Amino acid sequence: MNAPFRLDGQVLDVAIIGAGFSGLCMAIKLKESGRTNFRVFEKAADIGGTWFLNRYPGCACDVPSHLYSFSFDQNPNWSRAYSPAPEIWRYQKVTAEKHGVLPFIRCNAEVARAEYDEDAQLWRLTLASGESVAARALVAGAGILHVPFTPTIKGAESFAGKTMHTANWDDGYDLAGKRVAVIGTGASAIQLVPAIAGQVGRLDLYQRTPGWVIPRMDYDFKETSKARFARFPFLQRLLRNLIYWRAEMLAYGFTQNVKLIGKFQKLAETYLAKAVPDPALRAKLTPDFPLGCKRVLISDDYYPALQRDNVEVITDVISEIRSNGVVTADGRLREVDAILYATGFRVTDWLSHVDIRGKGGRKLIDDWKDGASAYYGVAVSGYPNMFLLLGPNTGLGHNSVVFMIEAQVRYALDCMKWLWAGAGSVEVKAEVQDAFNKDLAERMKRTVWMSGCKSWYLNADGTNSTLWPGFTVTYWWKTRAAAKRDFDVAPAVVPQKVAA
Ligand code: N01
């Protein structure tokens, strides 16, 4: 996408970082509220965030599409229960176009720095291109699964073959007949492996920790069903609600009563026993932590793929990579043509690629060095007029993050109303944020995520600043309106021109 607008020195009402689900939702809702003096800055070459960037074979959402989509723009034409990434991306494009927000988005526009100017009560943004722009409010919708993580493995740079990360896929590379190593067995790998196992010559899967897998039970939507959804939208709403409440029930086990998870785990154990008859392979694939502690993997074709003749699950630790292959701790070299990293994302320092500076020049990266924290994941004390989407402790292990995004956009817009009414700055009170996070940490202790496994949900010190420890419906209820008593709302230093 080309730049549809130029930066001509005007002061924006809102600058939005990122044009994934978060940024798009904010743009759509701002426009719906009648405000047009906003712009979206997207680092990538097109909109879509995760769904534009993740192009590896098999990439799909592990939340059913009828729920993983905007509540205000339901798509009756989803092809399957779990739609593939390109279809989700098309949905984002069509939705953005339909709501008329494309002209407000500039792609290939990486925000390198955002600094709060206290005197002017403005955020001053500098793009990687050197251009700058000012805005009264800053919305960071940069996404949590955004910065690919590639482990440091001795000798990796000497590998002479092809190297790809699932989040940095080269569509032009032909895997047919190749010998490949896949490193990692998380949500990305379990989609990638079945999608390529039939094409490659050999696939070595390097597993450090097995995850719990439950059947996906994916299915197609027939044309008649799509026509019915289009004609009777309430049917689609009904389906969406059923999926939503089924997912919410899981939250009870994950966050309130971990013992209940045992029953669900039995289902996964039974599935594993049925799907993998070989006891040696089954033992390799059996996790030693409670289901839910790491993200539950949802797949119908992962276990079958692992039993193909050309696939080997390797649990020996990787000791080194050489120019021609991967060496394990037992000294064995397995030669390969390509190494495919399915090793996830740098999650806990997710906003570190933008240099964000708040009051007095304080840096967000320093304030968050021991773990990110915010108020309902949206507002951060010391950073007035800044609103995060999918910020700290608002990720999910059981439901759709699009639901959380919509709640956050509504909450942020509620705070912004004070700005549009003439205030100069809106900042959550430090004591309010602290009390909120104390309570959150207490609730977090009871969750399955803190039951002892190592996962990307956790910071280096074992705390969890990634997930929401409760029901999403509770989050939705608590963020339905912003309470002025929780914020310092200061008058405008310079009378603000209230732009439409
Ligand atoms: O990443 P992960 P992911 N040597 O961090 C392994 C979302 N997602 O990209 O478990 C060997 O889960 C690591 O091993 P271990 C979804 O929210 C969503 O798969 O740490 N292995 C692990 O197996 C998901 O949770 C969709 O021991 C190494 C793997 O790499 C999140 O993205 C689709 C290693 C990383 O797994 C991340 O999933 C796909 C090393 N040095 C993903 N370092 C949707 O449907 C790491 N590993 C929306």
Side-chain angles (χ1 to χ4, degrees), residues 59-254:
C59 182
C61 185
D62 57 10
V63 177
S65 305
H66 282 271
L67 178 60
Y68 190 87
S69 44
F70 290 129
S71 64
F72 54 84
D73 210 319
Q74 288 288 281
N75 169 22
N77 294 316
W78 291 116
S79 64
R80 332 184 45 75
Y82 296 87
S83 303
E87 195 176 334
I88 301 172
W89 182 57
R90 276 198 303 278
Y91 165 79
Q92 293 175 308
K93 297 273 280 186
V94 168
T95 307
E97 188 162 9
K98 192 163 133 191
H99 290 266
V101 295
L102 288 177
F104 297 84
I105 304 171
R106 177 145 156 199
C107 293
N108 294 312
E110 177 178 358
V111 175
R113 183 169 164 151
E115 190 167 13
Y116 186 65
D117 176 341
E118 271 180 89
D119 295 334
Q121 295 172 318
L122 291 175
W123 278 94
R124 300 201 181 276
L125 279 65
T126 311
L127 274 59
S129 61
E131 293 164 279
S132 57
V133 66
R136 296 180 62 194
L138 172 69
V139 173
I144 181 167
L145 302 171
H146 174 63
V147 185
F149 167 73
T150 305
T152 309
I153 300 176
K154 186 179 152 201
E157 66 294 340
S158 69
F159 182 62
K162 180 76 176 173
T163 300
M164 288 190 272
H165 189 284
T166 46
N168 235 330
W169 199 259
D170 177 357
D171 298 319
Y173 183 73
D174 185 9
L175 285 164
K178 299 276 179 9
R179 300 163 302 172
V180 303
V182 175
I183 302 180
T185 52
S188 300
I190 62 133
Q191 296 178 340
L192 172 70
V193 169
I196 63 171
Q199 301 167 37
V200 298
R202 204 187 77 226
L203 191 155
D204 303 332
L205 178 62
Y206 290 88
Q207 173 190 274
R208 196 163 64 175
T209 319
W212 286 110
V213 181
I214 57 168
R216 183 152 84 154
M217 295 186 286
D218 198 7
Y219 52 87
D220 288 336
F221 283 106
K222 297 200 171 67
E223 290 308 317
T224 45
S225 306
K226 294 181 199 172
R228 238 173 256 139
F229 285 144
R231 188 146 179 234
F232 307 110
F234 74 91
L235 285 178
Q236 190 169 354
R237 286 223 165 259
L238 188 66
L239 175 62
R240 180 180 167 96
N241 282 323
L242 284 173
I243 303 168
Y244 174 79
W245 288 106
R246 190 185 59 187
E248 278 297 83
M249 272 159 46
L250 263 185
Y252 184 65
F254 284 176

Side-chain angles (χ1 to χ4, degrees), residues 224-466:
T224 45
S225 306
K226 294 181 199 172
R228 238 173 256 139
F229 285 144
R231 188 146 179 234
F232 307 110
F234 74 91
L235 285 178
Q236 190 169 354
R237 286 223 165 259
L238 188 66
L239 175 62
R240 180 180 167 96
N241 282 323
L242 284 173
I243 303 168
Y244 174 79
W245 288 106
R246 190 185 59 187
E248 278 297 83
M249 272 159 46
L250 263 185
Y252 184 65
F254 284 176
T255 66
Q256 322 279 318
N257 189 344
V258 174
K259 280 191 195 133
L260 277 185
I261 291 294
K263 291 209 172 72
F264 203 53
Q265 187 172 311
K266 279 267 173 298
L267 289 178
E269 285 166 6
T270 308
Y271 174 52
L272 174 61
K274 261 198 190 153
V276 184
D278 172 12
L281 179 59
R282 200 161 64 233
K284 278 186 185 179
L285 297 174
T286 305
D288 63 357
F289 52 84
L291 180 139
C293 188
K294 277 163 120 58
R295 191 173 174 98
V296 180
L297 306 174
I298 301 175
S299 177
D300 297 324
D301 48 11
Y302 180 59
Y303 286 153
L306 301 188
Q307 293 167 83
R308 293 177 59 96
D309 291 341
N310 65 336
V311 176
E312 185 186 359
V313 179
I314 300 156
T315 51
D316 296 303
V317 175
I318 299 172
S319 57
E320 174 186 1
I321 291 177
R322 294 196 192 139
S323 63
N324 55 346
V326 179
V327 183
T328 38
D330 56 0
R332 180 163 171 200
L333 165 73
R334 288 177 179 83
E335 292 191 16
V336 286
D337 305 302
I339 300 179
L340 311 178
Y341 289 92
T343 42
F345 299 86
R346 279 172 39 197
V347 174
T348 48
D349 55 353
W350 56 275
L351 251 183
S352 60
H353 59 290
V354 187
D355 181 3
I356 295 184
R357 298 177 187 216
K359 272 166 50 180
R362 63 199 283 176
K363 291 183 174 187
L364 193 62
I365 194 168
D366 293 339
D367 283 344
W368 283 2
K369 67 179 183 314
D370 299 323
S373 71
Y375 185 56
Y376 285 109
V378 176
V380 185
S381 172
Y383 300 80
N385 303 352
M386 179 179 85
F387 305 97
L388 308 176
L389 300 177
L390 286 189
N393 289 109
T394 62
L396 300 175
H398 72 287
N399 207 323
S400 168
V401 289
V402 181
F403 178 87
M404 298 296 269
I405 290 168
E406 285 190 40
Q408 290 164 3
V409 166
R410 182 184 56 174
Y411 186 77
L413 288 176
D414 214 37
C415 296
M416 283 181 211
K417 268 202 258 160
W418 299 318
L419 291 179
W420 313 149
S425 76
V426 174
E427 180 187 358
V428 66
K429 292 177 179 162
E431 63 275 20
V432 169
Q433 184 177 322
D434 287 349
F436 170 82
N437 281 296
K438 253 193 198 138
D439 174 59
L440 191 132
E442 276 308 308
R443 286 189 288 130
M444 189 65 80
K445 283 184 193 159
R446 299 195 291 268
T447 67
V448 70
W449 308 307
M450 309 307 280
S451 60
C453 71
K454 189 176 155 282
S455 79
W456 65 259
Y457 298 151
L458 305 181
N459 300 318
D461 66 356
T463 54
N464 187 328
S465 47
T466 310

